[in-house]
Amino acid sequence: MFAGSFALGAVAARNSWASVPAAAAALQRTATPGTMPHLPPLRVHMNQLTDIKVCLRPFRAAGPRLDVEKIGDKTVIHHYGHGGSGWSLSWGSADIVVGKAASTLEKRVAVIGCGVIGLTTALTAQRAGMDVTIYTKDLLPHTRSVRANGSWTPDSRIALTKPAGPGFASLWEQMARYSWKTYRDYLGLPGNPIDFRDSYTLSDTPFDQTPEPPAPPAGSPDYASTGKPQNSAEFAEYGELIKDIIPNADVLDASENPFPVAHAKRKNLMIFNFGAYGHLLLSEFFQAGGKIVVREFHTPAEFKTLSEPVVINCPGYGARALCQDESLIPIRGQTNWLPPQANSLYGVRYKGAALLCKTDGIMVQALDFTGLGDMVGVNNSFEHPDRSEAEKAIGIFEDLFARMKGQPA
Ligand SMILES: Cc1cc2nc3c(=O)[nH]c(=O)nc-3n(C[C@H](O)[C@H](O)[C@H](O)COP(=O)(O)OP(=O)(O)OC[C@H]3O[C@@H](n4cnc5c(N)ncnc54)[C@H](O)[C@@H]3O)c2cc1C
C-alpha cells in the first residue's frame, strides 16, 4: 500500500510539476524561449474606448521631498514628488519616511493623502507598530495615482541627474530594491494584484541602429540656467544600479517574433493591477485598525489642529497648492482604456505608443510622437482628456493588429 501510494504520489507530483509551465503558457504570461508565442491579436479600435484618464506626474528636479520640519509642536515629514515612479518606488520610499517617524518615538501618526504614496506609507507605519489615521481629500480609487499606466518604471521622470546629485542615486537604489522585494510578497494572490507580463518592444530598424537623440549643443538652456527642465538628456536614469535583480530584455530572432515588424525585444515586466491591488491595500489598512478621515487642508498650519504628534505629508501634486511648493511641477500624461480581453496578457511598445493588457482593461498610452522624450508633458497641467491623442495611439495598434491577423497562427 505504501509503495502504491508513493508511486501515485510521484505521478501526481510529476503531473503537477509538468502542469506549471503548461498553465503559464496557457495564460501566456511568459513565452518559452526559442518558440513562437501564439499571441492573439487584440481588438483595439476607437469604438472600443471605455475611458480616458489624465494625470499629472508630481515632478521635482531634485527628486521627492523627504525632509522633516516642525510646524507648531508637530513633527511634519514631507513625502511627495515621485514623478512617473510613484507606484514603483512606493514601498521603499515609505520605508525611509517611516524610519524618520519612528525616530520621534511617537506611536500616533497622521498621514495626509491616500494615493499610492499615502496608503503604502500608512501601511508601513502600521507594520512598524504605529496607530495611523489617514486624512485625505480623496481615497485611492479617486486619486491621481489610479490614472497612471501601472508598471515597474522606477526611474521614470523621478529627478534630473544634476540637481538630484549622486546622493539621490544611492537613495533611489535603496528605495527601488526595497520596493521590488516588497512587491514580490504580493505575487500569486487571488485577483493578481501584482503580476508579470511579457512586454514586447518593436522596431522597424535594428535596435543597434536606432539613433540616439542628439545631445543638446554646449551652452543650450538647461535647468541650471532656467530653473525648469529643458531637454530629455537632463532626466536621471538609474536602471543600471539594479540590473542584477530586474529581468533583462532579450532581442528575439525571426523564429520567436510573433509580430509583423522586423525587430522585437521581449522583457518580463512587473505590473500593478490597480483595482485588485488598491482594494487589497485599503483592506489591509482597515484590518490593522487604520482610520480614514475625509478632510481637505489649505495650508500646512492646519496640521497643528490634528491630535497626532507626527504628520507624514503625502499630497502628491496637491503639494504645489498646499505647501506653495513651486519646485513641484506637473508632467501631464494620459492613458486610454479598452475592455479587458480574455487570454490577452501581454504588452507592446511601438512607434512611440505603449499598450498593456491588465485585469481592469487594455491600457493604451501615447509616450512620445515628437522625439521630445521625457520632455513630453513637462509643465503641462491640462488635466482634461485629449481625444486626438487617444486616436493616434490606438491607431498605431489597430494597424499593427490588422497586419498580424494575416499571419499564420
Ligand atoms: C500617465 C501616467 C502614467 C504613470 N505610470 C506610472 C507607472 O507605470 N509606474 C509608476 O511607478 N508610476 C507611474 N506614474 C506616476 C504615479 O502615478 C505617481 O508618481 C503617483 O501616483 C503619485 O502618488 P501620490 O500618492 O504621491 O499622489 P496622488 O495619487 O495624487 O495622491 C495624493 C493624495 O493626497 C490627497 N490630497 C492632495 N491634496 C490634499 C489636500 N490639500 N488636503 C487633503 N488631501 C490632499 C489626494 O486626495 C490624494 O489622496 C504615472 C503617472 C502618469 C501621469
Side-chain angles (χ1 to χ4, degrees), residues 242-283:
I242 54 167
K243 69 174 184 194
D244 57 314
I245 50 166
I246 308 298
N248 285 343
D250 296 319
V251 176
L252 303 182
D253 65 30
S255 67
E256 300 170 299
N257 175 2
F259 294 96
V261 176
H263 305 281
K265 277 195 275 199
R266 180 174 58 215
K267 75 172 173 188
N268 220 327
L269 178 70
M270 182 188 276
I271 66 156
F272 316 118
N273 284 313
F274 297 140
Y277 182 57
H279 184 69
L280 182 58
L281 293 186
L282 277 169
S283 309

Side-chain angles (χ1 to χ4, degrees), residues 133-176:
T133 301
I134 294 177
Y135 297 87
T136 186
K137 202 155 55 108
D138 310 289
L139 269 69
L140 184 66
H142 305 290
T143 60
R144 289 192 173 98
S145 288
V146 286
R147 302 186 219 141
N149 161 323
S151 47
W152 175 257
T153 59
D155 63 348
S156 166
R157 282 116 151 190
I158 185 64
L160 301 185
T161 311
K162 278 194 199 154
F168 179 66
S170 51
L171 197 65
W172 176 90
E173 181 178 351
Q174 184 185 330
M175 289 180 189

Side-chain angles (χ1 to χ4, degrees), residues 40 159 166 175 181 195 231 233 236 253 291 299 330-331 335 341 376 408:
M175 289 180 189
K181 215 171 181 48
D195 207 350
N231 65 73
D253 65 30
K291 290 187 274 309
T299 73
I331 304 186
T335 52
Q341 287 173 40
V376 173

Side-chain angles (χ1 to χ4, degrees), residues 160 219-231 234 375 379:
L160 301 185
S220 303
D222 63 2
Y223 181 81
S225 61
T226 65
K228 294 269 155 47
Q230 297 294 328
N231 65 73
E234 290 186 274
M375 285 300 291
N379 265 323

Side-chain angles (χ1 to χ4, degrees), residues 9 12 50 68 173 183 195 215 235 251 270 282 292 298 352 400:
T50 55
V68 183
E173 181 178 351
Y183 273 124
D195 207 350
F235 284 83
V251 176
M270 182 188 276
L282 277 169
I292 295 187
H298 302 92
L400 176 74

Side-chain angles (χ1 to χ4, degrees), residues 11-40:
V11 169
R14 213 175 34 241
N15 283 347
S16 66
W17 184 239
S19 72
V20 171
L27 288 167
Q28 289 163 334
R29 278 180 165 71
T30 51
T32 314
T35 63
M36 178 75 80
H38 296 293
L39 302 182

Side-chain angles (χ1 to χ4, degrees), residues 55-58 82-88 112-118 135-138 143-145 147-151 153 272 295-297 314-318 322 331 333-335 365:
C55 176
L56 304 178
R57 297 171 184 89
H82 294 77
S85 305
W87 284 91
S88 311
I112 312 300
C114 193
V116 68
I117 297 295
Y135 297 87
T136 186
K137 202 155 55 108
D138 310 289
T143 60
R144 289 192 173 98
S145 288
R147 302 186 219 141
N149 161 323
S151 47
T153 59
F272 316 118
R295 174 169 173 186
E296 180 171 4
F297 298 85
C314 315
Y317 183 71
L322 175 62
I331 304 186
Q334 173 172 309
T335 52
Q365 185 183 8

